[in-house]
Amino acid sequence: MKILLCALEASADALGAALMKALRENRPDVEFIGCGGALMEKQGLKSLFDIAPFSVLGPVAALSLLPRALKAADALAELAAEEKPSCAIFIDSWSFARIAAEKFERKAPEVKRFKYVAPQVWASRPKRAEKAARLFNGVMCLFDFETPYFEKAGAKARFVGHPGFQAARDRKIDRAVFRRKFGLGEGPLLAVLPGSRASELARLGAPFRETVQRAAEAVSDLRIVIPAAPSVAKDLPDYLAGWPGAPVIVEGEDRLDAFAAADAALAASGTAAAELAIMGTPMVIAYKLDFLTEMWVRAIFTIRYAALANIAADREVIPEFLQRRCRADLMAPALIALLEGGPAREAQLSALPEIVRGWTGGARPAAEMAADAVLDWLKGEKAQMPIESAAERP
């Protein structure tokens, strides 16, 4: 069996690596081709090209990457036409996945196409469900409430869960052992998660550094731990130069341990904030976009909040500091309140367990469920075929 995989972001790379491992457990003879990051390469994938340049956000950055994206999509489609894999699995990155799937229609129409991580049609652009039904033979959803959106549009959809969320749910640590391992002492511990993209580090650098400085001045013996996303780990030592609290960078499996050991967190909005919520760590979240991307987000999104926990609760359980409110004078008091204890901290600790219930699925690992979906669809278990081929369209 040969499977083509495509992952362009750090979170997609993690999903792809877990899926590769689960597929290999089912089919030891499987061979992987395509593109991915460091985690997928550790599982045996030799990436067709470097995915780092594709880690961008917003229409302006995406438009500047369009020539590169078209070239990359062509390369993947040509690889599929030559190697004839059993299927192609496009992980996250909806815009690129759509472009690439249309290339596959023309150059490798016999290759089944699956989408892993359904586009968030419940948050913006609901018409993407119909596009997914046409372009993909199956759609794997991270949340159980997503499948009806795609089934209604005519797609074959299956809930598979999120491996990262399950890992956060199941991770058990001894906080004292973690602190001793990294020499973090016994004082308050703050986890800082500035994002997984270079652009996030750049935009959040100054407000995060000043917020941490103010927190360190207010909270005695405060120590800082930085759970590093693999995509930006090499940039963090320079990024953290001059920060207070002698920040300690942790990577790999220690990353989730840092989430659990921390008394509070300052995090960029995204997957990491959801993992923190699952682990019950009180937090403040923040984010900044360029002006044009902000206008684009305001135009297309139908939700009121950025944090998944707040979206699920339909209220601001976790303080959000977005765009012009991403300022140290606003963020630091909210963060200090969490570190010092009191009503703000207790409110999150009591609310988060109920909010995240159901996010992680059942006892079976999410990657195994995703692998089952792929193998079932390849065996013909009612796999939804695209409504029309490229040749049939005018």
Side-chain angles (χ1 to χ4, degrees), residues 323-347:
Q323 295 305 101
R324 281 157 287 283
R325 297 188 71 246
C326 182
R327 297 173 7 213
D329 62 317
L330 299 178
M331 294 189 290
L335 189 60
I336 292 166
L338 296 180
L339 288 164
E340 292 182 337
R345 179 180 180 82
E346 291 304 316

Side-chain angles (χ1 to χ4, degrees), residues 102-156:
E102 290 173 344
K103 299 282 188 182
F104 273 59
E105 277 190 314
R106 299 178 181 92
K107 296 188 176 185
E110 73 285 356
V111 176
K112 289 185 177 181
R113 303 181 297 272
F114 302 135
K115 185 71 182 74
Y116 186 15
V117 183
Q120 294 178 336
V121 296
W122 44 271
S124 70
R125 295 168 290 175
K127 289 289 186 181
R128 290 178 296 174
E130 296 174 8
K131 179 73 77 170
R134 187 185 67 76
L135 287 176
F136 298 100
N137 302 85
V139 178
M140 289 173 271
C141 301
L142 300 189
F143 300 102
D144 57 359
F145 66 81
E146 293 179 309
T147 56
Y149 289 95
F150 296 93
E151 291 171 341
K152 184 178 179 180
K156 180 64 179 177

Side-chain angles (χ1 to χ4, degrees), residues 23-355:
L23 285 167
R24 190 177 290 112
E25 288 172 356
N26 278 272
R27 289 292 300 265
D29 62 327
V30 68
E31 177 185 349
F32 298 107
I33 58 174
C35 63
L39 297 178
M40 292 170 69
E41 289 185 347
K42 286 182 180 178
Q43 289 294 324
L45 176 73
K46 185 176 180 181
S47 187
L48 185 63
F49 49 80
D50 181 14
I51 69 169
F54 294 93
S55 186
V56 299
L57 185 67
V60 177
L63 187 60
S64 69
L65 276 176
L66 184 57
R68 187 191 291 264
L70 292 171
K71 184 177 179 180
D74 271 326
L76 286 170
E78 289 167 4
L79 179 66
E82 179 181 344
E83 296 288 339
K84 296 179 173 52
S86 302
C87 67
I89 304 171
F90 299 91
I91 308 170
D92 215 345
S93 303
W94 167 254
S95 294
F96 181 83
R98 177 184 56 77
I99 292 170
E102 290 173 344
K103 299 282 188 182
F104 273 59
E105 277 190 314
R106 299 178 181 92
K107 296 188 176 185
E110 73 285 356
V111 176
K112 289 185 177 181
R113 303 181 297 272
F114 302 135
K115 185 71 182 74
Y116 186 15
V117 183
Q120 294 178 336
V121 296
W122 44 271
S124 70
R125 295 168 290 175
K127 289 289 186 181
R128 290 178 296 174
E130 296 174 8
K131 179 73 77 170
R134 187 185 67 76
L135 287 176
F136 298 100
N137 302 85
V139 178
M140 289 173 271
C141 301
L142 300 189
F143 300 102
D144 57 359
F145 66 81
E146 293 179 309
T147 56
Y149 289 95
F150 296 93
E151 291 171 341
K152 184 178 179 180
K156 180 64 179 177
R158 188 184 291 193
F159 165 61
V160 297
H162 194 306
F165 290 0
Q166 287 189 332
R169 176 198 65 191
D170 298 336
R171 194 77 175 176
K172 306 294 185 229
I173 73 155
D174 186 317
R175 292 163 57 96
V177 170
F178 176 84
R179 286 170 176 261
R180 286 197 300 269
K181 178 179 178 179
F182 291 99
L184 291 166
E186 298 179 359
L189 182 61
L190 172 65
V192 180
L193 297 95
S196 60
R197 298 181 177 93
S199 61
E200 291 170 334
L201 297 187
R203 290 197 182 95
L204 298 175
F208 271 35
R209 181 174 61 252
E210 187 179 346
T211 299
V212 171
Q213 180 67 55
R214 293 185 183 213
E217 291 170 356
V219 180
S220 300
D221 301 321
L222 182 67
R223 293 299 308 274
I224 314 299
V225 62
I226 313 291
S231 52
V232 296
K234 68 180 187 302
D235 301 319
L236 286 175
D238 290 338
Y239 174 81
L240 296 170
W243 277 46
V248 172
I249 300 171
V250 299
E251 301 181 56
E253 293 187 355
D254 291 321
R255 180 174 169 271
L256 284 179
D257 291 348
F259 288 11
D263 296 294
L266 171 63
S269 177
T271 301
E275 293 170 338
L276 285 163
I278 291 167
M279 302 191 90
T281 304
M283 77 192 91
V284 165
I285 71 160
Y287 211 79
K288 289 185 76 173
L289 297 165
D290 64 79
F291 175 75
L292 290 177
T293 303
E294 179 187 3
M295 294 301 100
W296 170 72
V297 167
R298 290 184 183 278
I300 68 169
F301 275 77
T302 58
I303 48 178
R304 298 170 58 193
Y305 302 106
L308 185 59
N310 291 343
I311 294 169
D314 196 27
R315 62 188 177 93
E316 194 176 82
V317 176
I318 299 167
E320 297 187 356
F321 297 91
L322 311 176
Q323 295 305 101
R324 281 157 287 283
R325 297 188 71 246
C326 182
R327 297 173 7 213
D329 62 317
L330 299 178
M331 294 189 290
L335 189 60
I336 292 166
L338 296 180
L339 288 164
E340 292 182 337
R345 179 180 180 82
E346 291 304 316
Q348 287 198 41
L349 290 174
S350 63
L352 289 176
E354 182 61 31
I355 291 170

